[in-house]
Amino acid sequence: MELNGVQIEDEFAEAFPNWACRVIITAITDKWALQAATEATGFATSAIGCPCEAGIEKILTASETPDGRPGVAVLFFAGGKKKLKEQVVERLAECVLTQPTTAVFDGMPEAEERIDVKLHFFGDGYEYQKEVGGRNCWAIPIMNGEYIGEENYGIVKGIAGGNFFIMGENIPAALMAADAAVAAIKNVPGCMCSFPVVASGSKVGSNKYKFMAATTNEKYCPTIREKVEDTKVPEGVKAVYEIVIDGVDETAIKAATKAGIEAAVMVPGIKLISAGNFGGNLGPFQFKLYEIL
């Protein structure tokens, strides 16, 4: 298969189940909403070494938020409900409540599964309940007024680890294509790219160092192409970037994969699009590129 002259490899991305939570963060301006969202989703690129995976799903206008202010929708993913709750609590408490003019709201009000995110005790007895946009919230007095927040959030069984590889004839071409792919994925609801562009793709375990849980995926490293017998890097490819996608369901990841690839192949100098898997041993979800495209 070719798309805009770029070869598409007959491969599949292998993904695994995760619990997902969407939080809407608002502030007095879009700058401060984005600042809080950026802080809240820090150190959350990969479950290999981070406590969760998280990222910005969508920038929201004032008409899309409960309190009529600019906002950002963020997604958090973790392997269990308890772990997800811990991360949402810690990140809202340490990274959002601390930011100027912020408020937080449940982004999955229709979800049947729920977690409690109780931050109102920070008010030390001065906190009180109030209704905002038809939602029951807590108001916590802080130095610039009040922090407003819901304390019950919906969660769903999501998916982590959707991916595809962009292979280019040089770094500028591959990186430009990766940037275009991520920009396209941002328009797809229900998903996010936690990195958002991966330069150091990994494999499970190690060939040499048994104490390592994950190491470089040598099959996709162009500089050692001649040293790796089963290399996945075609001749003429000098840079490979991986786009990793987490989503609330299979539909979201498929749509994001399609949008990202279609954007990437429009950049001159892209040689091949592929996907990463471990032969079906990592997770139950397989996103086959040919079927998606």
Side-chain angles (χ1 to χ4, degrees), residues 131-146:
E131 185 177 297
V132 178
R135 301 189 182 208
N136 295 320
C137 301
W138 281 92
I140 301 174
I142 58 174
M143 292 190 296
N144 75 178
E146 293 177 338

Side-chain angles (χ1 to χ4, degrees), residues 145-166:
E146 293 177 338
Y147 168 86
I148 305 297
E150 285 191 273
E151 295 201 340
N152 188 261
Y153 289 79
I155 61 173
V156 297
K157 292 182 178 180
I159 301 169
N163 70 79
F164 60 91
F165 291 100
I166 299 170

Side-chain angles (χ1 to χ4, degrees), residues 10 28 41 61 77 97-98 113 122-123 197 221 224 248-249 272:
D10 187 11
I28 193 170
T41 56
T61 64
F77 291 81
L97 187 154
T98 56
E113 293 276 356
F122 182 74
V197 176
C221 296
I224 56 172
V248 298
D249 53 32
L272 178 70

